[in-house]
Amino acid sequence: MKCLSWSFMVFLSCFFFISGTHQLQPYQTQVLLQLRKHLEYPIFLQGWENYTGDFCTMSSTQHFTLTCENDTITELKFRGDKLVNPNHFNGFAIPNQTLSESFSIDSLITTLTRLSTLRVLSLVSLGIWGPLPDKLHRLGSLEVLDLSSNFIYGSVPPRMPRLVKLQSFTLDGNFFNETIPDWFDSLSNLTILSLKNNQFKGQFPPSVCRIKTLTDLSFSHNELNGKLPDLSSLTSLHLLDLRENQFDSDLPVMSKGLVTILLSKNKMSGKIPKEFDELSQLQHLDLSFNSLTGTPPSGLFSLPNISYLNLASNQLTGSLSHKLSCGDGLGFVDISSNKLTGELPSCLATNTDKRVVKFGWNCLSSSSQHQHQEAYCMDSNVNGKGSDGRKIGMLIGVIGGTLVFMVFVAVGFLILFRKYCNRQTFEQHTLPKVGQENSTARIPSEILANARFISETAKLGTQGTPTYRMFSIEELNEATNNFDQSMFMGEGSTGKLYKGRLDNGTYIAIRCLALFKKFSYQNIKLRLDLLSKLRHPHLVCILGHCIEGENSPEMVLNWSERLAVLIGVAKAVHFLHTGVIPGFFNNRLKTNNILLDEHRIAKLSGYGMSIFTEEIEIVEAKGEGPKSGQSTKSADDVYNFGFILLESLVGPIVSRKGEAFLLNEMASFGSQDGRKRIVDPIVLLTCSQESLSIVISITNKCISPDLSTRPSLEDVLWNLQYAAQVQATADADQKSDATSQS
C-alpha cells in the first residue's frame, strides 16, 4: 500500500510541476484584458469577465484561439462577426459596423507590441478602423499576420520589411488606397501575400517577382493598372489571383508550377501564349472578360490536371481543331461570347454529368446554344470594329440628341432621365432624385466641342417624335459608318457617344454602354420601357435601343460569395416580414429578382407586389404583431426562398430543368456520389463539406410540404450565417496548413 501511495504522490507532483511551467506571465494576462477593452468587449470574449485561471489552458473556439509556449503567448487569433463592409467608407466610425468613434487603432497596436513573442496574429472582422500604425514592426517574431475584413485604410507601413520572419501576410477586405509598396523582396521567407478586395492603385510591384518562396499571390479586386512583369521566376507559386483590376498588358510568362491562375476582368490583350500548354500542374484557369485574341491553344483543354477553364467574353477567333481532346478531369469550360467559328470538337459538343460546356454567342455551327451569324465573326476579324471583348453585352441607346444625365442605379441598368420628353405631363415625384443637375464638369470637352451638332439634334425634342422601337446593329453601323472615329463625339462615365444619321435623314446620337456584369434581358427591357414613356418639350427623346449579345455568360460565384448573396437576401426578406407593420409577405421570391451591385452586394427586387393584389390588414400603432393568416404567407416565402437556396446549390444549368426535377433530386444530396452528380462543380470546388451540409439541411426544411415544419426566416438567416462562418474558418485553416507545410 505504501508503495502504491508513493507512486500516486509522485504522479501528482509531476502533474502540478508540468502545469506550472505553462502559467502565463501576469503582464501578458493584463495585455489580453487590455486588448478586450480596446476591442470594446466583444460578445465572444464574455467568458473572460470573471476568469481567474490560466489563459493558456482555455479551449479554442471559432472566434478565439490562444497558444502559449512556456509562459508566453505565441499565437493569438480573434474572429468577430462584422462580416459586411459598406459600399462607401469615408474613414470614420460607422454605427454597428466599425468599432466606436472612441476606438484608437494606435492604442490597439501599441498594446499588441507588448506580446513580443507572438508568431501568429489574426484580427479578422472586428470592425477595426483607421490607418495601420508603423509600430507594428516591433512584433519582430511574427510569422503570420492576418488583418482581413476590417476598415483599415491608407498605406502599408514603410517599416514592415523589418518583419523578416513573416511567412504569411494578409490584408484582404480593407480600404487600403495607396500604391502597393515595392519592398516585399525584403521578406525573404514570405509564402502567402494577399491584398485582395482593397483600393490599391498603381502598378504591379516588381519586387514581388524576387520572392522565391512565394506560393500564393492575391491582388484581386483593386485598382491596379499597367503591365504585368515576367512571373516565371516565382518557381514556388501555386496561386495567382489578379482578378478585377485594370492590367492592360499581354499575358506574361508564367511559372510552370502554377495550380490556379485568375486574371478575369482586366484589360489583357494579345494571344494566349503557346507556353501555357506546358503548365502541367494547372487546375483552374480564368481569363474571361479581357480582350484576348487569336485561337486558344488546343493544349489548354487537355492539360493533365485542368478542371476549370474560362475563356469567355474575349475576342478569340478561328476554329478549334477537330482533333482537340479534353482532359479527364475537365469539369467546366466556358468559351462563350467570343468570335469562334466552325464546328465544336466532340469533347465540347455536349454537356454531360461530368462536364459543363458553355459556347453560346460565337459563330459556331452548333445550334444547341445561341450563335451569331458567321458574318458577324468574319467582319470583326477583318476590321476589328463593332464590339469590345470585355463586354458581356452592348446596350446602344439611340437618342434624338444628347443624353445629358444618365446614371446607373443598383446593378447599373436602371437608367433614369432627369428631364422629360414632350408636352405630355409626368409627375416629377415618381422618379427619385439621384444626382446633381447642371454640372458641366461631368460633360467631356469633346462633347462640348460638338455643341453645334447637339443643338441641331435637340430640335427633335420639340417636334413630333417617332415611335420608340428596337434598332438592329446593322442600322447603327450604317448610321455611323461602322462607328468610324470621325463620328466619335466623346466618352463619359457611362460610355462612348457617337453621332449618326438614319436613312430618313434624322440626326441621332448613340450612347454605347459597356455592361461588365450579368443582367437579364427582361430587366434591361423593363427599364427601357420606362424611358420610352418620358416626354417633355425640354428633353430630346430616346428613340429606341439595340442590345447586342444580351444572353451573356453568367457571373460565376464561388461558395463563399453565394453564401454572402443568400445572407443578404435572407436579411431583406426578414426585414419585410418583421421590420415593418404590417409586414410584407408573399413576395414572389425567385433568383431573377436578386441583383448584385458593383460591389457584389445583393439587392432584392420585385418584392411587395402583393400590396396591389391583396387586402392588407392595417395594424394600429400599438405595436401589435402580424395577425392570423400571415404565418401561412411567411411559410410561402420560406418555401420560395428554399428554391433560391436549391438553385444556388445546383447552378443555372440544372435549375432550368424545373421545380419537379429539383424536388425529385433532393434525395441525391444525401450521399457524396449524389452531391457530385447534382451540385454545381464551382460549389464543390470552393466549399467545405460541413458548410455545404448546413445549407443542404436548411434547404430541405424550407421546401418541406408540411407548413408547420418550415423554419422561420430568422432560423434560415442564422443557419446561413453559421455556414458562412464555418466556410471562413475552413478557408483560414487551409491557408494556415499551407503556411505550416512550406
Side-chain angles (χ1 to χ4, degrees):
M1 284 294 290
K2 291 182 179 179
C3 182
L4 290 174
S5 299
W6 178 81
S7 299
F8 183 68
M9 290 172 63
V10 171
F11 173 79
L12 286 178
S13 298
C14 291
F15 176 81
F16 286 119
F17 175 76
I18 292 170
S19 296
T21 61
H22 287 81
Q23 182 70 37
L24 188 63
Q25 292 185 14
Y27 88 89
Q28 295 211 348
T29 299
Q30 292 302 314
V31 169
L32 290 177
L33 296 176
Q34 190 67 26
L35 290 175
R36 175 173 173 260
K37 179 180 179 181
H38 286 316
L39 296 175
E40 300 177 354
Y41 305 99
I43 294 177
F44 61 85
L45 296 182
Q46 279 184 340
W48 292 13
E49 184 71 36
N50 299 308
Y51 187 72
T52 57
D54 184 2
F55 279 88
C56 289
T57 63
M58 296 187 74
S59 299
S60 297
T61 70
Q62 63 179 355
H63 294 291
F64 163 68
T65 298
L66 188 148
T67 304
C68 302
E69 287 187 11
N70 297 324
D71 55 357
T72 60
I73 300 172
T74 58
E75 178 178 358
L76 183 62
K77 293 182 178 180
F78 291 144
R79 178 179 291 274
D81 56 3
K82 302 182 187 306
L83 300 176
V84 180
N85 282 341
N87 292 341
H88 176 71
F89 175 57
N90 59 8
F92 297 97
I94 303 175
N96 302 318
Q97 295 192 57
T98 68
L99 296 174
S100 69
E101 292 182 1
S102 61
F103 167 76
S104 168
I105 190 173
D106 189 75
S107 298
L108 173 68
I109 299 301
T110 300
T111 302
L112 278 168
T113 58
R114 297 181 63 194
L115 302 176
S116 58
T117 56
L118 264 184
R119 293 203 297 265
V120 177
L121 176 61
S122 178
L123 305 175
V124 176
S125 299
L126 297 171
I128 297 170
W129 63 275
L132 189 60
D134 203 10
K135 63 186 68 174
L136 188 63
H137 77 275
R138 297 175 187 171
L139 292 171
S141 298
L142 269 186
E143 297 174 5
V144 176
L145 177 61
D146 186 353
L147 302 177
S148 300
S149 300
N150 286 293
F151 296 77
I152 306 173
Y153 58 87
S155 59
V156 180
R159 285 190 280 186
M160 291 292 287
R162 297 188 182 184
L163 299 176
V164 293
K165 296 182 180 180
L166 202 62
Q167 298 176 24
S168 178
F169 186 32
T170 305
L171 299 177
D172 299 346
N174 281 284
F175 291 86
F176 289 96
N177 52 2
E178 300 293 335
T179 58
I180 298 179
D182 195 23
W183 40 247
F184 281 104
D185 55 338
S186 299
L187 305 176
S188 58
N189 296 302
L190 198 63
T191 60
I192 297 175
L193 177 57
S194 188
L195 308 178
K196 61 188 178 185
N197 291 297
N198 279 281
Q199 299 170 8
F200 282 112
K201 300 175 176 63
Q203 299 191 346
F204 187 98
S207 64
V208 170
C209 299
R210 297 189 288 273
I211 311 175
K212 303 298 183 181
T213 55
L214 202 61
T215 62
D216 292 33
L217 177 60
S218 299
F219 288 169
S220 63
H221 300 87
N222 279 289
E223 300 172 18
L224 302 174
N225 55 48
K227 310 298 182 184
L228 285 179
D230 185 329
L231 301 175
S232 60
S233 60
L234 297 174
T235 53
S236 301
L237 195 64
H238 294 155
L239 168 66
L240 176 66
D241 184 3
L242 303 178
R243 291 171 294 167
E244 298 199 34
N245 280 285
Q246 300 172 29
F247 294 118
D248 57 3
S249 63
D250 291 349
L251 291 174
V253 180
M254 297 288 184
S255 168
K256 293 184 179 180
L258 275 163
V259 175
T260 300
I261 299 175
L262 307 174
L263 293 174
S264 61
K265 297 185 180 177
N266 278 282
K267 300 178 180 179
M268 311 299 293
S269 58
K271 296 182 178 181
I272 301 174
K274 187 69 170 63
E275 289 74 17
F276 273 46
D277 288 358
E278 301 173 8
L279 302 178
S280 59
Q281 303 301 313
L282 193 62
Q283 298 177 14
H284 192 125
L285 177 62
D286 190 349
L287 303 177
S288 59
F289 300 98
N290 281 287
S291 297
L292 300 174
T293 57
T295 304
S298 297
L300 280 182
F301 299 83
S302 57
L303 288 170
N305 292 293
I306 193 73
S307 62
Y308 179 97
L309 179 59
N310 193 344
L311 307 177
S313 298
N314 280 284
Q315 297 282 345
L316 300 176
T317 57
S319 300
L320 298 175
S321 171
H322 68 280
K323 296 180 180 180
L324 182 147
S325 61
C326 296
D328 293 338
L330 187 56
F332 180 88
V333 179
D334 193 346
I335 55 174
S336 59
S337 294
N338 281 288
K339 305 194 184 301
L340 298 171
T341 56
E343 295 185 1
L344 274 177
S346 58
C347 71
L348 300 178
T350 57
N351 288 317
T352 67
D353 291 340
K354 295 183 178 180
R355 182 173 300 134
V356 175
V357 182
K358 297 182 179 182
F359 52 84
W361 301 101
N362 283 283
C363 299
L364 299 165
S365 57
S366 173
S367 60
S368 60
Q369 296 185 26
H370 188 281
Q371 301 293 321
H372 294 289
Q373 295 296 320
E374 188 170 0
Y376 170 85
C377 296
M378 299 304 293
D379 289 345
S380 298
N381 293 343
V382 173
N383 56 39
K385 296 178 181 178
S387 65
D388 188 326
R390 298 188 303 275
K391 300 172 185 174
I392 291 182
M394 178 171 284
L395 171 64
I396 302 180
V398 183
I399 325 156
T402 179
L403 300 182
V404 179
F405 292 103
M406 180 180 288
V407 297
F408 289 131
V409 177
V411 194
F413 286 97
L414 180 54
I415 307 172
L416 301 178
F417 281 78
R418 303 302 316 280
K419 300 180 181 178
Y420 301 87
C421 267
N422 69 33
R423 291 182 172 84
Q424 299 177 12
T425 59
F426 197 90
E427 291 186 355
Q428 187 171 359
H429 65 262
T430 61
L431 293 179
K433 190 170 185 178
V434 292
Q436 296 181 350
E437 298 190 60
N438 303 322
S439 175
T440 57
R442 298 176 58 187
I443 304 176
S445 59
E446 294 88 349
I447 297 180
L448 294 177
N450 283 275
R452 179 179 179 183
F453 170 78
I454 293 174
S455 66
E456 291 176 359
T457 56
K459 296 175 183 177
L460 289 173
T462 59
Q463 301 169 0
T465 57
T467 303
Y468 181 91
R469 69 182 179 88
M470 187 169 182
F471 286 75
S472 68
I473 188 65
E474 289 76 17
E475 286 180 282
L476 302 184
N477 281 333
E478 185 174 351
T480 60
N481 192 21
N482 289 319
F483 292 91
D484 188 80
Q485 188 63 30
S486 63
M487 311 300 281
F488 180 70
M489 297 173 61
E491 183 173 5
S493 59
T494 56
K496 296 179 179 180
L497 188 68
Y498 291 85
K499 60 185 177 181
R501 185 175 183 179
L502 298 177
D503 283 343
N504 62 6
T506 302
Y507 286 98
I508 59 171
I510 302 169
R511 174 76 71 182
C512 304
L513 304 181
L515 310 183
F516 289 87
K517 304 277 186 185
K518 193 274 179 187
F519 305 98
S520 68
Y521 175 78
Q522 292 80 2
N523 193 287
I524 301 171
K525 186 65 169 63
L526 178 67
R527 283 141 178 81
L528 291 172
D529 287 343
L530 168 65
L531 293 177
S532 68
K533 294 177 174 62
L534 302 180
R535 295 290 184 269
H536 192 276
H538 294 295
L539 180 70
V540 292
C541 302
I542 180 169
L543 303 180
H545 72 271
C546 169
I547 298 179
E548 181 69 5
E550 62 265 21
N551 292 335
S552 304
E554 291 89 351
M555 178 170 56
V556 179
L557 301 178
N558 65 29
W559 180 237
S560 295
E561 291 168 332
R562 296 186 198 201
L563 285 175
V565 170
L566 293 170
I567 289 170
V569 175
K571 287 180 177 179
V573 180
H574 185 243
F575 168 77
L576 292 171
H577 287 185
T578 64
V580 291
I581 299 177
F584 284 83
F585 300 88
N586 193 18
N587 289 288
R588 302 175 185 178
L589 304 176
K590 53 186 178 180
T591 52
N592 284 348
N593 287 342
I594 301 173
L595 307 178
L596 301 183
D597 67 9
E598 66 275 16
H599 302 288
R600 295 194 178 189
I601 304 299
K603 308 286 184 179
L604 180 64
S605 66
Y607 57 86
M609 291 298 100
S610 59
I611 196 172
F612 300 108
T613 58
E614 299 177 3
E615 291 292 329
I616 296 179
E617 187 172 11
I618 304 299
V619 180
E620 296 180 2
K622 299 177 181 178
E624 296 180 12
K627 299 194 176 181
S628 61
Q630 291 184 341
S631 60
T632 301
K633 295 178 181 178
S634 174
D636 288 342
D637 272 353
V638 170
Y639 181 83
N640 291 333
F641 188 76
F643 267 91
I644 292 176
L645 292 175
L646 188 53
E647 290 181 28
S648 73
L649 289 167
V650 301
I653 300 294
V654 178
S655 297
R656 295 188 189 111
K657 296 183 179 181
E659 180 175 331
F661 175 84
L662 294 176
L663 288 173
N664 289 333
E665 289 292 327
M666 280 304 299
S668 301
F669 288 110
S671 68
Q672 289 297 323
D673 289 340
R675 290 184 184 184
K676 289 179 181 178
R677 182 172 59 83
I678 193 71
V679 174
D680 188 340
I682 305 303
V683 172
L684 291 176
L685 284 171
T686 58
C687 77
S688 72
Q689 287 302 313
E690 184 181 1
S691 176
L692 181 64
S693 296
I694 294 169
V695 177
I696 289 174
S697 175
I698 196 65
T699 301
N700 267 312
K701 294 176 182 178
C702 287
I703 62 177
S704 169
D706 185 357
L707 272 64
S708 63
T709 63
R710 293 177 193 166
S712 67
L713 249 301
E714 187 174 7
D715 291 335
V716 175
L717 178 58
W718 187 92
N719 276 273
L720 290 174
Q721 289 175 324
Y722 179 53
Q725 290 175 351
V726 169
Q727 184 61 45
T729 301
D731 292 342
D733 290 344
Q734 187 176 11
K735 281 189 175 182
S736 178
D737 290 344
T739 302
S740 62
Q741 293 171 5
S742 60

